[in-house]
Amino acid sequence: MHSFEDTRPLARAVAEEMGAVHRDIELHHFPDGESRVRVRSAENARAAIVRSLDRPNGKFLEVLFAADALRRCGVEELVFVTPYLAYMRQDAVFRDGEALSQRVVGELLGRAFDEVVTVEAHLHRIRELSEVVPCRSRSISAAPIIGEWCRSGGYDVVVGPDLESEPWVRQVAEIAGVRWVVCEKIRSGDRSVEVEVPRLGDSARSALLVDDIASTGVTLVRATEKLRSRGIDRVDAAIVHALFDDAIATQLRKAGVERLVSTDTVAHASNAISVAGILAQELVSSPPPHPHATGDV
Ligand code: R5P
């Protein structure tokens, strides 16, 4: 299992869970902005690269370089473990002249890797990741670990930010054994969002907001404001991929979020729930199809 520095703590934890060897990928940034990637020798025919693709543009190219380097070392079965996979929300040509970015990213990964594993890819218009990443690719759900975390929180209701989140929110809430609702969201710009909260019942005093991604954090801010205005005394938030910076975390607290937690798919100050276990389990339970491709993942 080979990792870049930005995803190293999670990669080490996954390797440890699996009893696999972990190796650092060496990365050098030249003064002109180019990157040089160097892998430590790979003794096995099957190997994995671990890297999250938050702030994706430079990282993506470096991952492709690392894939090329491992192939040159003789790796036959190459797995990309990307706890956060970017560009999955750009899944349609929303306005004339735009690229279908999700497809471009998916096809490049499908060509470079034999297998791609991610967590909670944002798939609205397609059902399976393999429809856009043409190899043995799949997205695993973080609902079980978020639901388990929520179980001991004493919440009256679990709240999803938009109608599309319903199946996921229901799954989290059922695992936690808590009632759930979803809001209606209207987005008119990157940072311009309106959220309508449905009836919560008179007895509801504490709520856990859950979402797969918080990017600008505006969705969470608006939903929190609405929940507070409805008499909810305690609003906490649990998200899978925390992509926002510290300034937004401050705004969230000002809006009334008491506790903010995220999974470690993206390294962030709010990380409190690890995906290492579910990733390791997924990798162990997917044996290599190639008979000679035994290795460290
Ligand atoms: C949207 O469908 C997602 O589930 C999130 O609600 C959205 O990406 C959050 O974005 P932001 O934090 O920028 O409001």
Side-chain angles (χ1 to χ4, degrees), residues 207-234:
L208 179 68
L209 265 171
V210 292
D211 205 350
D212 57 348
I213 303 177
S215 177
T216 63
V218 172
T219 300
L220 289 180
V221 169
R222 296 287 167 263
T224 304
E225 289 166 349
K226 279 285 162 68
L227 287 167
R228 289 294 214 166
S229 71
R230 292 286 189 82
I232 300 291
D233 300 327
R234 174 162 70 114

Side-chain angles (χ1 to χ4, degrees), residues 89 122 124 161-162 164 185 187 190 193 211-220:
R89 286 175 293 175
H122 193 88
H124 268 182
D162 47 36
E164 293 82 22
K185 177 167 87 179
R187 184 186 285 279
D190 287 346
V193 172
D211 205 350
D212 57 348
I213 303 177
S215 177
T216 63
V218 172
T219 300
L220 289 180

Side-chain angles (χ1 to χ4, degrees), residues 165-179:
S165 67
E166 184 184 319
W168 188 74
V169 172
R170 188 190 318 130
Q171 206 191 337
V172 169
E174 282 174 1
I175 292 164
V178 177
R179 204 161 59 79

